[in-house]
Amino acid sequence: MYQMTAKVRLSEADHTKKITFPGIVNYFQDCSIFQSEALGVGFEHLERQKAAWVLNAWQIVVERYPMIGEEIMVSTWATGFHGIYGNRNFKMCDREGNILAWANSVWVYMDLVKGHPIRPDSREIELYGSEEALPFSFAPRKITLPTASVKCDSIPVRRSDIDPNEHVNNCHYIQMALEVLPESFTFRQVRVEYKRSARRGDVIYPLMAAEAGRAVIMLCDQEEQPYAIVELV
């Protein structure tokens, strides 16, 4: 398990003086990167291998949004490896150890030269190890699509959306979905299924459906083929 401590910053909060949902997601992403770097299998290692762990799906649940200045501890650990897939859990706790948010995620190990999934190196698996998963019910990787949806305003991919892997940052898809979501819609859980990478110069065409406490936002290309599917409940 890898752990990091922090205080919620002003730049991570909204008008409620609490951390935003993307703020929580960014802590989870950062924690996983820091673990990889600490183990010696971070960016430089993956560049030499011409490979990458690509996020395929995750389920994120928020129990409470911490306030500006509140101390938090973020943890992450691998829970298992199966062929081309790796599973990873996350949690964010307050100073008393109460869980503020948690997540389950599925990753795919990609050969960046051939452009298809491969089995990860056995050394990487050994370094990450495998620990017991969180004692929660995990949703399936695939998101059930609605039967009907409405088109929303298009969103051009900005320079600030691009991450070190030269595609849209995983969290930014969620931010795009939240911009489309009606302000009155409240949610506790977000699931994301990543289909393919959007890059600089692409334009995102959102399709949204809201039904009985569930909203699904498909972030698509002009032909309505999705880059990512976001479900909020």
Side-chain angles (χ1 to χ4, degrees), residues 1-4 30-45 76 88 123 127-128:
M1 180 183 292
Y2 183 88
Q3 296 181 315
M4 55 182 273
D30 290 346
C31 195
S32 66
I33 292 297
F34 293 159
Q35 183 189 35
S36 297
E37 293 293 334
L39 293 173
V41 287
F43 282 115
E44 290 186 5
H45 166 79
T76 188
R88 176 183 284 276
R123 176 175 172 270
L127 285 170
Y128 283 118

Side-chain angles (χ1 to χ4, degrees), residues 107-180:
W107 302 72
V108 176
Y109 198 71
M110 292 289 295
D111 182 321
L112 298 181
V113 175
K114 297 180 180 178
H116 62 66
I118 57 173
R119 288 179 177 270
D121 184 272
S122 59
R123 176 175 172 270
E124 286 191 40
I125 293 176
E126 184 178 340
L127 285 170
Y128 283 118
S130 181
E131 300 180 50
E132 187 175 350
L134 288 164
F136 300 118
S137 177
F138 298 149
R141 183 167 54 91
K142 296 285 187 179
I143 294 173
T144 302
L145 298 181
T147 55
S149 59
V150 295
K151 294 182 178 180
C152 303
D153 292 341
S154 61
I155 305 170
V157 173
R158 306 163 300 174
R159 283 179 292 177
S160 58
D161 291 319
I162 303 302
D163 68 11
N165 293 315
E166 298 295 338
H167 54 61
V168 172
N169 184 287
N170 294 321
C171 182
H172 286 217
Y173 292 103
I174 298 174
Q175 290 176 304
M176 292 176 190
L178 292 177
E179 288 298 324
V180 171

